[in-house]
Amino acid sequence: DAMVIQNPRYQVTQFGKPVTLSCSQTLNHNVMYWYQQKSSQAPKLLFHYYDKDFNNEADTPDNFQSRRPNTSFCFLDIRSPGLGDAAMYLCATSSGRGLQYFGPGTRLLVL
Amino acid sequence: AQSVTQLDSHVSVSEGTPVLLRCNYSSSYSPSLFWYVQHPNKGLQLLLKYTSAATLVKGINGFEAEFKKSETSFHLTKPSAHMSDAAEYFCVVTSGVDTGRRALTFGSGTRLQVQP
Protein backbone atom coordinates (compact mmCIF):
# COMPACT_ATOMS: atom_id res chain seq x y z
CA ASP A 1 0.00 0.00 0.00
CA ALA A 2 2.89 2.34 -0.80
CA MET A 3 1.64 5.87 -1.37
CA VAL A 4 4.64 7.65 -2.91
CA ILE A 5 6.88 5.41 -4.97
CA GLN A 6 10.28 6.30 -6.31
CA ASN A 7 12.25 4.36 -8.88
CA PRO A 8 14.96 3.38 -8.90
CA ARG A 9 16.06 3.43 -5.27
CA TYR A 10 19.69 3.66 -6.33
CA GLN A 11 20.94 5.15 -9.60
CA VAL A 12 24.49 5.27 -10.86
CA THR A 13 25.31 7.50 -13.79
CA GLN A 14 28.37 8.90 -15.46
CA PHE A 15 29.51 12.48 -15.40
CA GLY A 16 27.56 14.35 -18.07
CA LYS A 17 25.22 11.47 -18.94
CA PRO A 18 21.53 12.44 -18.69
CA VAL A 19 19.52 10.65 -16.05
CA THR A 20 15.81 10.52 -15.18
CA LEU A 21 14.35 9.75 -11.78
CA SER A 22 10.75 8.68 -11.42
CA CYS A 23 8.05 9.32 -8.84
CA SER A 24 4.50 8.06 -8.74
CA GLN A 25 1.72 8.44 -6.20
CA THR A 26 -1.52 6.67 -5.34
CA LEU A 27 -2.88 9.52 -3.22
CA ASN A 28 -4.33 11.57 -6.08
CA HIS A 29 -2.68 14.67 -4.63
CA ASN A 30 -2.53 17.71 -6.83
CA VAL A 31 0.86 18.94 -5.64
CA MET A 32 4.13 17.08 -6.24
CA TYR A 33 7.57 18.21 -5.10
CA TRP A 34 11.19 17.31 -5.81
CA TYR A 35 13.83 17.82 -3.13
CA GLN A 36 17.59 17.34 -3.20
CA GLN A 37 19.23 16.18 0.02
CA LYS A 38 22.99 16.06 0.33
CA SER A 39 24.76 14.17 3.06
CA SER A 40 24.01 15.41 6.59
CA GLN A 41 21.88 18.27 5.27
CA ALA A 42 18.21 19.10 5.27
CA PRO A 43 16.23 18.54 2.07
CA LYS A 44 16.30 21.45 -0.37
CA LEU A 45 13.29 22.12 -2.57
CA LEU A 46 14.10 22.11 -6.30
CA PHE A 47 10.63 22.68 -7.75
CA HIS A 48 7.01 21.66 -7.45
CA TYR A 49 3.94 21.13 -9.58
CA TYR A 50 0.55 22.43 -8.54
CA ASP A 51 -1.56 20.38 -10.93
CA LYS A 52 0.16 21.20 -14.23
CA ASP A 53 1.53 24.51 -13.04
CA PHE A 54 5.32 24.22 -12.72
CA ASN A 55 7.07 26.26 -10.03
CA ASN A 56 10.85 26.46 -10.05
CA GLU A 57 12.82 27.59 -7.01
CA ALA A 58 15.00 30.61 -7.80
CA ASP A 59 18.27 28.86 -7.07
CA THR A 60 17.56 25.56 -8.82
CA PRO A 61 20.20 25.05 -11.54
CA ASP A 62 19.07 24.93 -15.17
CA ASN A 63 20.56 21.44 -15.31
CA PHE A 64 17.48 20.20 -13.44
CA GLN A 65 14.16 19.83 -15.25
CA SER A 66 10.88 18.17 -14.42
CA ARG A 67 7.90 16.70 -16.21
CA ARG A 68 4.48 15.78 -14.95
CA PRO A 69 2.56 13.94 -17.68
CA ASN A 70 -0.42 13.21 -15.42
CA THR A 71 -1.56 13.46 -11.80
CA SER A 72 0.15 10.25 -10.74
CA PHE A 73 3.62 10.65 -12.21
CA CYS A 74 6.41 13.19 -11.97
CA PHE A 75 9.93 12.92 -13.36
CA LEU A 76 13.18 14.63 -12.49
CA ASP A 77 15.59 15.01 -15.40
CA ILE A 78 19.21 15.91 -14.82
CA ARG A 79 20.57 16.89 -18.20
CA SER A 80 24.30 16.78 -17.49
CA PRO A 81 25.01 15.44 -14.01
CA GLY A 82 28.09 16.70 -12.28
CA LEU A 83 29.86 15.24 -9.28
CA GLY A 84 28.13 17.84 -7.12
CA ASP A 85 24.73 16.45 -8.07
CA ALA A 86 25.31 13.24 -6.19
CA ALA A 87 22.65 13.24 -3.51
CA MET A 88 19.41 11.70 -2.31
CA TYR A 89 16.44 12.92 -4.34
CA LEU A 90 13.14 12.94 -2.53
CA CYS A 91 9.72 13.19 -4.08
CA ALA A 92 6.78 14.38 -1.99
CA THR A 93 3.08 14.95 -2.54
CA SER A 94 0.48 17.13 -0.88
CA SER A 95 -3.22 17.75 -1.10
CA GLY A 96 -2.41 21.41 -0.60
CA ARG A 97 -3.09 21.63 3.12
CA GLY A 98 0.54 21.87 4.16
CA LEU A 99 1.21 18.21 5.02
CA GLN A 100 3.62 16.48 2.63
CA TYR A 101 4.07 12.76 2.14
CA PHE A 102 7.55 11.67 1.13
CA GLY A 103 8.73 8.78 -0.96
CA PRO A 104 11.69 6.60 0.04
CA GLY A 105 14.09 8.58 -2.15
CA THR A 106 16.50 7.77 -4.96
CA ARG A 107 20.19 7.90 -4.15
CA LEU A 108 22.13 9.17 -7.14
CA LEU A 109 25.81 8.41 -7.57
CA VAL A 110 27.78 10.20 -10.29
CA LEU A 111 31.00 8.58 -11.47
CA ALA B 1 9.08 34.75 6.22
CA GLN B 2 9.59 31.64 8.27
CA SER B 3 12.54 29.84 9.77
CA VAL B 4 13.33 26.91 12.01
CA THR B 5 16.21 26.41 14.41
CA GLN B 6 17.04 23.01 15.79
CA LEU B 7 19.14 23.76 18.79
CA ASP B 8 21.15 20.53 18.89
CA SER B 9 22.83 18.89 15.91
CA HIS B 10 23.48 15.69 17.90
CA VAL B 11 21.74 14.19 20.91
CA SER B 12 22.86 11.01 22.62
CA VAL B 13 20.74 9.17 25.18
CA SER B 14 20.76 5.77 26.81
CA GLU B 15 18.08 3.25 25.96
CA GLY B 16 15.11 3.66 28.30
CA THR B 17 15.83 7.30 29.17
CA PRO B 18 13.81 10.32 28.01
CA VAL B 19 14.40 12.05 24.71
CA LEU B 20 14.20 15.80 24.16
CA LEU B 21 14.86 17.34 20.72
CA ARG B 22 14.53 21.10 20.69
CA CYS B 23 13.05 23.26 17.96
CA ASN B 24 12.31 26.97 17.76
CA TYR B 25 10.51 28.60 14.88
CA SER B 26 9.60 31.99 13.53
CA SER B 27 6.67 32.69 11.25
CA SER B 28 4.78 35.73 10.03
CA TYR B 29 1.50 33.82 10.00
CA SER B 30 -0.07 31.11 12.09
CA PRO B 31 2.28 28.22 11.49
CA SER B 32 1.80 24.56 10.87
CA LEU B 33 4.60 22.56 12.43
CA PHE B 34 5.80 19.04 11.80
CA TRP B 35 8.42 16.61 12.98
CA TYR B 36 9.77 14.15 10.45
CA VAL B 37 12.15 11.25 11.09
CA GLN B 38 14.64 9.89 8.58
CA HIS B 39 16.43 6.58 9.05
CA PRO B 40 19.64 6.02 7.07
CA ASN B 41 19.05 5.85 3.31
CA LYS B 42 15.31 6.20 3.78
CA GLY B 43 12.75 8.85 2.99
CA LEU B 44 11.12 11.13 5.52
CA GLN B 45 8.38 9.74 7.75
CA LEU B 46 5.93 12.03 9.49
CA LEU B 47 6.04 11.68 13.28
CA LEU B 48 3.44 14.29 14.18
CA LYS B 49 1.91 17.59 13.13
CA TYR B 50 0.49 20.72 14.72
CA THR B 51 -2.09 22.66 12.73
CA SER B 52 -3.70 25.03 15.28
CA ALA B 53 -5.73 22.47 17.18
CA ALA B 54 -4.54 21.01 20.52
CA THR B 55 -1.16 22.37 21.58
CA LEU B 56 0.03 18.97 22.85
CA VAL B 57 0.35 16.72 19.85
CA LYS B 58 0.79 12.98 20.04
CA GLY B 59 2.53 11.16 17.24
CA ILE B 60 3.64 7.70 16.29
CA ASN B 61 6.07 5.50 18.22
CA GLY B 62 5.39 7.25 21.53
CA PHE B 63 6.62 10.68 20.45
CA GLU B 64 4.83 13.89 21.33
CA ALA B 65 5.44 17.62 20.96
CA GLU B 66 4.05 20.71 22.59
CA PHE B 67 3.40 23.93 20.68
CA LYS B 68 4.28 26.92 22.88
CA LYS B 69 3.45 30.14 21.10
CA SER B 70 4.90 32.36 23.83
CA GLU B 71 8.24 30.59 23.49
CA THR B 72 7.96 29.96 19.73
CA SER B 73 8.97 26.39 20.44
CA PHE B 74 7.88 22.95 19.29
CA HIS B 75 10.10 20.51 21.18
CA LEU B 76 9.86 16.77 20.52
CA THR B 77 9.85 14.37 23.47
CA LYS B 78 9.57 10.68 24.22
CA PRO B 79 9.51 9.21 27.74
CA SER B 80 11.71 6.23 27.01
CA ALA B 81 14.14 5.87 24.10
CA HIS B 82 14.37 2.69 22.08
CA MET B 83 17.31 1.59 19.97
CA SER B 84 15.12 1.86 16.87
CA ASP B 85 14.68 5.60 17.53
CA ALA B 86 18.24 6.27 16.40
CA ALA B 87 17.80 8.45 13.30
CA GLU B 88 17.84 12.01 11.97
CA TYR B 89 14.94 14.21 13.07
CA PHE B 90 13.75 17.30 11.21
CA CYS B 91 11.55 20.05 12.59
CA VAL B 92 9.57 21.69 9.78
CA VAL B 93 7.38 24.79 9.57
CA THR B 94 5.02 26.01 6.92
CA SER B 95 2.68 28.97 6.91
CA GLY B 96 0.87 31.36 4.65
CA VAL B 97 -2.44 31.84 3.02
CA ASP B 98 -2.00 29.95 -0.24
CA THR B 99 -2.03 26.43 1.11
CA GLY B 100 -1.51 24.83 -2.24
CA ARG B 101 1.86 26.45 -2.75
CA ARG B 102 3.24 26.31 0.72
CA ALA B 103 6.93 25.67 0.93
CA LEU B 104 8.27 23.67 3.83
CA THR B 105 11.10 25.21 5.79
CA PHE B 106 13.31 22.56 7.32
CA GLY B 107 15.51 22.79 10.35
CA SER B 108 19.05 21.58 9.96
CA GLY B 109 18.27 18.28 11.65
CA THR B 110 19.17 16.56 14.91
CA ARG B 111 20.89 13.21 14.87
CA LEU B 112 19.67 11.05 17.74
CA GLN B 113 21.97 8.33 19.00
CA VAL B 114 20.67 5.72 21.43
CA GLN B 115 23.24 3.90 23.51
CA PRO B 116 22.51 0.39 24.82
Side-chain angles (χ1 to χ4, degrees):
Chain A
D1 57 346
M3 296 184 291
V4 183
I5 302 157
Q6 291 188 244
N7 286 305
R9 295 292 312 279
Y10 297 89
Q11 176 73 57
V12 181
T13 191
Q14 293 179 327
F15 183 93
K17 184 175 181 181
V19 66
T20 294
L21 308 183
S22 169
C23 177
S24 64
Q25 54 137 335
T26 61
L27 296 163
N28 204 35
H29 284 167
N30 56 348
V31 194
M32 294 187 76
Y33 306 80
W34 279 104
Y35 290 85
Q36 179 192 63
Q37 186 181 25
K38 295 190 175 180
S39 181
S40 301
Q41 296 183 19
K44 177 181 179 297
L45 182 64
L46 294 173
F47 25 59
H48 75 274
Y49 272 96
Y50 186 89
D51 292 324
K52 294 188 176 182
D53 184 17
F54 178 70
N55 298 272
N56 202 29
E57 293 299 299
D59 56 354
T60 298
D62 293 339
N63 199 24
F64 291 86
Q65 303 287 323
S66 186
R67 296 171 284 135
R68 189 179 186 186
N70 53 53
T71 300
S72 300
F73 284 87
C74 194
F75 300 99
L76 170 62
D77 300 308
I78 308 176
R79 292 191 298 186
S80 182
L83 298 178
D85 297 328
M88 174 77 90
Y89 290 88
L90 296 165
C91 174
T93 74
S94 173
S95 61
R97 301 176 74 85
L99 177 58
Q100 294 186 15
Y101 296 85
F102 285 82
T106 294
R107 182 162 294 283
L108 178 67
L109 181 62
V110 181
L111 300 179
Chain B
Q2 57 196 26
S3 66
V4 177
T5 302
Q6 290 185 243
L7 297 161
D8 307 292
S9 59
H10 290 85
V11 170
S12 182
V13 301
S14 298
E15 190 175 22
T17 64
V19 175
L20 169 64
L21 305 184
R22 298 182 295 166
C23 173
N24 287 102
Y25 71 93
S26 69
S27 175
S28 302
Y29 302 97
S30 295
S32 294
L33 292 154
F34 311 88
W35 277 98
Y36 283 89
V37 61
Q38 187 177 33
H39 289 90
N41 290 312
K42 303 284 187 181
L44 291 149
Q45 181 184 16
L46 180 69
L47 277 179
L48 48 80
K49 61 181 179 179
Y50 166 78
T51 54
S52 75
T55 56
L56 182 61
V57 182
K58 293 189 183 298
I60 61 171
N61 300 336
F63 284 93
E64 62 182 38
E66 186 171 7
F67 173 72
K68 291 187 177 180
K69 186 175 181 179
S70 60
E71 299 177 9
T72 61
S73 69
F74 191 58
H75 301 334
L76 182 70
T77 61
K78 183 174 181 178
S80 176
H82 191 272
M83 295 296 290
S84 61
D85 295 328
E88 188 86 18
Y89 291 79
F90 292 98
C91 181
V92 179
V93 65
T94 186
S95 61
V97 177
D98 189 352
T99 60
R101 298 176 185 275
R102 286 181 178 181
L104 296 184
T105 298
F106 283 80
S108 54
T110 298
R111 181 165 296 277
L112 176 65
Q113 290 182 310
V114 183
Q115 309 290 343

